[in-house]
Amino acid sequence: PHLLAAVDLVEKRGEAPGWLAQANFLLGEALRGSNPERALKAFQRMVELTTSNHAYRPDAERAIEQLKQQLGQ
């Protein structure tokens, strides 16, 4: 719950500190089973915040595709 609160608070303020991309990735991983809609949003935000050579970006892109299929999008 603390990670979700931290990400939501920073996003609400319109800020993008350096740790936000990693926090969104971790949040997406944590919520995949319990809240796939929010997990999808977190992974999408992580991709928005990173460059194509970020180490976890391919994992986030795969997760996005899997969650979209799961959600029927």
Side-chain angles (χ1 to χ4, degrees), residues 16-34:
W19 54 264
L20 187 57
Q22 184 67 18
N24 271 293
F25 180 80
L26 294 173
L27 182 61
E29 288 292 320
L31 295 178
R32 280 179 92 161
S34 62

Side-chain angles (χ1 to χ4, degrees), residues 1-58:
H2 297 292
L3 183 58
L4 177 60
V7 168
D8 286 348
L9 178 64
V10 170
E11 293 282 358
K12 187 177 180 181
R13 291 181 177 175
E15 299 173 3
W19 54 264
L20 187 57
Q22 184 67 18
N24 271 293
F25 180 80
L26 294 173
L27 182 61
E29 288 292 320
L31 295 178
R32 280 179 92 161
S34 62
N35 188 345
E37 294 88 0
R38 185 62 180 89
L40 177 60
K41 181 180 173 185
F43 284 124
Q44 288 171 328
R45 183 67 173 135
M46 185 269 188
V47 168
E48 290 174 9
L49 293 169
T50 59
T51 61
S52 61
N53 63 349
H54 188 279
Y56 295 122
R57 187 171 174 145

